[in-house]
Amino acid sequence: MTTTLDSVRGLTVLITGAALGMGKIYAHKAVLEGAKRVILWDVNAENLEQAATELRTLAAGSTNETAIEPQLVDVSQASVVVQAAQEVLANGTPDVLINNAGIVRGKPFAEHTHQDIDLTMNINASAPMHITLEFLAAMDQGTQQRRIMNIASAAAFVSNPRMSVYAASKAAALGWSDTLRLELQAASSNIAVTTVCPLYTTTGMFDGAKPARLTKLLSPEQVTDAAWKAMLKGTPILVIPRMTHAARALRGALPTAAWDYLAENAFGIYSTMKSFKGRTP
């Protein structure tokens, strides 16, 4: 039975995409709460080392003795994930797994390459499955309350031009993540699964994207604060902002032509990616 965690003090936290943006913010939170180990997975060696140095400084300046463990991991490769997970498990089991890594290719589907499709689906949809599969059996042992948090997107709910593959990947992530939650819940597991579905966030990943009417761009702090609290509590699904629920309801209730008209002309959803630039490499 799931109970609320007060914090991650004394626990092992593993975060993917941990060298930048919200991944690094989650790592900061883990250090400040006194996690025993914070394991950082990222594919960018330079950013990873910078993040590890920053987090070690943060840990040294507090009363916590947090071990910072960076690992260079390309989560798009299942074989690499398996090897990296074995290295982690050799030193203990993660108590909190945050599948945060993600990419976006914001352009019409016809302009995608096969590599764009494979990389987006591998990182956003397949990687959380492969990673979780490697840790699930170990995490499901004992009585310690554990957590899996998967970062999906509001794009999983509403179709949007120039986001076809990204939306598909996040819809897959949402479907898998919430089904995993139900399976673990039915088995009375000690693991609670939280799926986070935010709108555009100002991390750089969605530079140039515009918010739909009645919404605004979210700050990384808004999303990570809400997601962290939801994870500790074991909240099944977190949708940010709540206005997204209205769009989901309308899309389900209205005829397609009526919804398309509202989405384009009333809410401006279908135009939000027209000026998309994305993060500069």
Side-chain angles (χ1 to χ4, degrees), residues 77-127:
Q77 303 294 321
S79 59
V80 174
V81 165
V82 171
Q83 182 177 345
Q86 290 173 348
E87 294 174 11
V88 171
L89 290 169
N91 295 301
T93 301
D95 299 296
V96 176
L97 171 60
I98 300 178
N99 284 308
N100 167 77
I103 64 168
V104 61
R105 297 288 185 263
K107 53 189 175 183
F109 178 71
E111 296 178 12
H112 282 69
T113 64
H114 292 292
Q115 183 182 22
D116 287 334
I117 294 170
D118 288 345
L119 197 61
T120 302
M121 296 304 295
N122 286 347
I123 293 175
N124 294 358
S126 297

Side-chain angles (χ1 to χ4, degrees), residues 3 35 43 45-46 58 65-66 79 105 111 113 147 155 172 204 216 280:
T3 57
V43 72
E46 182 179 354
L58 181 66
E65 296 182 1
T66 302
S79 59
R105 297 288 185 263
E111 296 178 12
T113 64
R147 298 288 187 266
K216 60 182 180 179
T280 302

Side-chain angles (χ1 to χ4, degrees), residues 7-244:
S7 72
V8 298
R9 178 172 295 279
L11 303 182
T12 295
V13 181
L14 190 155
I15 305 159
T16 70
L20 286 175
M22 291 191 290
K24 190 165 72 170
I25 295 176
Y26 291 127
H28 272 248
K29 289 181 177 293
V31 170
L32 291 173
E33 287 192 3
K36 179 174 67 175
R37 300 168 64 198
V38 178
I39 303 164
L40 314 172
W41 281 17
D42 206 280
V43 72
N44 187 303
E46 182 179 354
N47 290 340
L48 183 62
E49 189 51 45
Q50 289 177 353
T53 298
E54 181 179 322
L55 290 163
R56 288 183 181 122
T57 301
L58 181 66
S62 68
T63 58
N64 306 321
E65 296 182 1
T66 302
I68 306 299
E69 302 176 24
Q71 278 185 286
L72 192 64
V73 182
D74 180 356
V75 298
S76 72
Q77 303 294 321
S79 59
V80 174
V81 165
V82 171
Q83 182 177 345
Q86 290 173 348
E87 294 174 11
V88 171
L89 290 169
N91 295 301
T93 301
D95 299 296
V96 176
L97 171 60
I98 300 178
N99 284 308
N100 167 77
I103 64 168
V104 61
R105 297 288 185 263
K107 53 189 175 183
F109 178 71
E111 296 178 12
H112 282 69
T113 64
H114 292 292
Q115 183 182 22
D116 287 334
I117 294 170
D118 288 345
L119 197 61
T120 302
M121 296 304 295
N122 286 347
I123 293 175
N124 294 358
S126 297
M129 300 182 197
H130 290 301
I131 294 165
T132 300
L133 188 62
E134 287 303 303
F135 292 116
L136 190 60
M139 291 179 70
D140 207 17
Q141 300 298 313
T143 58
Q144 171 63 51
Q145 284 288 307
R146 294 191 166 105
R147 298 288 187 266
I148 297 171
M149 182 164 72
N150 300 308
I151 309 303
S153 169
F157 302 125
V158 179
S159 303
N160 195 0
R162 304 178 72 91
M163 296 187 77
S164 57
V165 180
Y166 179 80
S169 71
K170 291 302 187 178
L174 171 61
W176 161 74
S177 181
D178 203 46
T179 300
L180 174 64
R181 173 188 68 82
L182 291 171
E183 291 174 352
L184 293 174
Q185 186 174 290
S188 299
S189 174
N190 59 314
I191 304 170
V193 178
T194 296
T195 311
V196 181
C197 300
L199 281 175
Y200 302 134
T201 307
T202 58
T203 59
M205 184 173 173
F206 280 97
D207 273 359
K210 305 297 182 184
R213 296 185 188 99
L214 305 180
T215 70
K216 60 182 180 179
L217 297 177
L218 301 170
S219 72
E221 292 74 21
Q222 281 179 287
V223 176
T224 53
D225 284 352
W228 192 262
K229 291 174 184 176
M231 177 273 292
L232 292 175
K233 188 177 179 180
T235 302
I237 297 180
L238 175 66
V239 179
I240 315 171
R242 293 183 181 274
M243 177 62 68
T244 305

